[in-house]
């Protein structure tokens, strides 16, 4: 804040932004504090109240949140300028025909997806153990699509995206913008195992021409990004941590519905190798 206004008393005010993610009632009041200039007259004059945006002003909230930048230190790695994998991951919640195991389901059930894949947890081994033991094909497939498939329908699968060690990955996270029975909502997308650079965000359908607006100098560095309802975010990271790493919605109810995918990062040169499980690691029987 730059104190460049005429000396006086000013309200610092805040109200709640309603993202429509959860349909709960909230306090619609305005919280205030007073900023008083040292040279302001010490009287009982009423502080100047700013004009507040509406609780649903997504443009104002977005322009503020999306303009945040990172604190760059000399030791911080720079944003990688070349990309090995360009991905568009569209996600949302919809309805799909009941699965066989949904014995109490009547016709249709809620299902969540990324690129029309609803993630299913493996039943006979962990993903990490399957990678370490080299039995990928028996536990999961390496065919997670890099863009939304053109065919309709939602596939229930244990599907991962295979990456070589050191690959640079750019992901456009696209909250579905077409209508559904549930409508659009905000989704906090979280990536395990890595921090990523948030290069840009916006509303509506992502336009590839937006790459001219990417912040490649001092972007935010995060492991979770709030993708706006019916909007998008672009993230970029370097796959330098061998293992199986979830990317999923951090709304707890959406994970068991399948709003997740996994990056399979292969070993790099020694010592960048997936370590063996500890000898005392608990096992399921």
């Amino acid at each position: 804040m730059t104190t460049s206004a005429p000396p006086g008393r000013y309200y610092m005010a805040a109200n709640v932004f309603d993202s429509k993610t959860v349909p709960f009632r909230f306090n619609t009041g305005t919280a205030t504090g007073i900023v008083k200039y040292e040279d302001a007259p010490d009287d009982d004059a009423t502080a100047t109240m700013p004009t507040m945006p509406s609780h649903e002003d997504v443009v104002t909230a977005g322009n503020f949140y999306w303009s945040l930048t990172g604190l760059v230190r000399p030791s911080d790695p720079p944003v990688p300028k070349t990309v090995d994998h360009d991905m568009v991951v569209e996600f949302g919640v919809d309805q799909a025909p009941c699965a066989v195991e949904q014995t109490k389901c009547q016709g249709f059930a809620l299902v969540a997806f990324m690129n029309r894949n609803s993630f299913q947890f493996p039943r006979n081994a962990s993903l990490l153990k399957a990678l370490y033991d080299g039995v990928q094909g028996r536990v999961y497939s390496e065919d997670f699509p890099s863009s939304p498939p053109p065919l309709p329908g939602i596939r229930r699968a244990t599907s991962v995206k295979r990456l070589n060690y050191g690959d640079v990955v750019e992901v456009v996270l696209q909250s579905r913008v077409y209508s559904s029975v549930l409508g659009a909502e905000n989704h906090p997308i979280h990536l395990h195992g890595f921090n990523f650079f948030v290069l840009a965000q916006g509303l509506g359908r992502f336009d590839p021409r937006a790459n001219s607006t990417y912040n490649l100098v001092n972007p935010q560095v995060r492991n979770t990004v709030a993708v706006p309802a019916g909007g998008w975010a672009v993230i970029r990271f370097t796959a330098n941590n061998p293992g199986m790493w979830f990317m999923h919605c951090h709304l707890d109810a959406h994970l068991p519905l399948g709003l997740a995918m996994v990056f399979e990062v292969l070993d790099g040169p020694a010592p960048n190798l997936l370590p063996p499980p500890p000898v005392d690691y608990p096992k399921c029987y």
Side-chain angles (χ1 to χ4, degrees):
M1 180 176 69
T2 302
T3 54
S4 57
R9 293 155 54 93
Y10 297 88
Y11 271 120
M12 181 167 56
N15 59 14
V16 175
F17 169 58
D18 181 12
S19 68
K20 299 299 183 183
T21 296
V22 288
F24 295 143
R25 297 178 63 185
F26 60 91
N27 188 331
T28 58
T30 300
T32 57
I34 295 177
V35 176
K36 178 179 178 297
Y37 280 63
E38 288 185 354
D39 297 333
D42 192 11
D43 54 26
D44 296 329
T46 302
T48 302
M49 183 67 186
T51 301
M52 302 299 290
S54 74
H55 296 287
E56 300 178 358
D57 189 346
V58 66
V59 174
T60 296
N63 286 340
F64 169 77
Y65 179 68
W66 304 331
S67 67
L68 296 177
T69 58
L71 299 176
V72 181
R73 300 167 298 182
S75 59
D76 291 338
V79 181
K81 299 303 191 293
T82 60
V83 174
D84 299 296
H85 298 273
D86 281 301
M87 300 180 66
V88 177
V89 176
E90 185 179 69
F91 54 87
V93 181
D94 209 330
Q95 287 185 320
C98 300
V100 175
E101 64 270 17
Q102 294 176 307
T103 57
K104 296 184 178 180
C105 177
Q106 298 181 354
F108 291 86
L110 287 179
V111 64
F113 60 87
M114 284 187 164
N115 280 356
R116 311 305 294 173
N117 278 254
S118 181
F119 184 81
Q120 303 296 295
F121 287 92
R123 298 177 182 273
N124 56 354
S126 74
L127 294 173
L128 194 60
K129 180 172 175 55
L131 173 61
Y132 185 79
D133 291 343
V135 294
Q136 293 92 322
R138 285 183 277 167
V139 178
Y140 62 88
S141 59
E142 298 171 318
D143 57 354
F144 183 83
S146 294
S147 59
L151 299 177
I154 296 174
R155 170 196 183 210
R156 292 181 170 92
T158 308
S159 176
V160 308
K161 176 67 175 179
R162 186 174 185 265
L163 304 174
N164 291 317
Y165 180 87
D167 282 352
V168 175
V169 185
E170 182 174 299
V171 185
V172 176
L173 296 166
Q174 176 71 66
S175 177
R176 68 183 290 177
V177 296
Y178 46 89
S179 62
S180 74
V181 294
L182 299 176
E185 59 182 326
N186 282 28
H187 292 273
I189 301 299
H190 173 59
L191 176 61
H192 291 213
F194 305 95
N195 289 330
F196 52 72
F197 296 101
V198 182
L199 303 185
Q201 293 177 264
L203 297 173
R205 176 70 65 180
F206 173 76
D207 186 336
R209 291 174 295 182
N211 61 10
S212 63
T213 67
Y214 287 179
N215 181 357
L216 301 176
V217 178
N218 58 350
Q220 297 178 61
V221 179
R222 304 181 61 86
N223 60 32
T224 306
V225 61
V227 181
W232 52 270
V234 181
I235 66 173
R236 188 179 293 182
F237 68 96
T238 301
N240 54 7
N241 189 6
M244 304 294 285
W245 302 110
F246 269 107
M247 185 171 72
H248 65 93
C249 178
H250 228 295
L251 297 178
D252 286 349
H254 290 174
L255 184 54
L257 292 176
L259 212 165
M261 60 83 62
V262 172
F263 289 106
E264 174 193 32
V265 181
L266 304 182
D267 282 342
N272 303 299
L273 306 174
L274 182 65
V279 293
D280 59 346
Y281 194 75
K283 295 181 180 180
C284 296
Y285 295 97

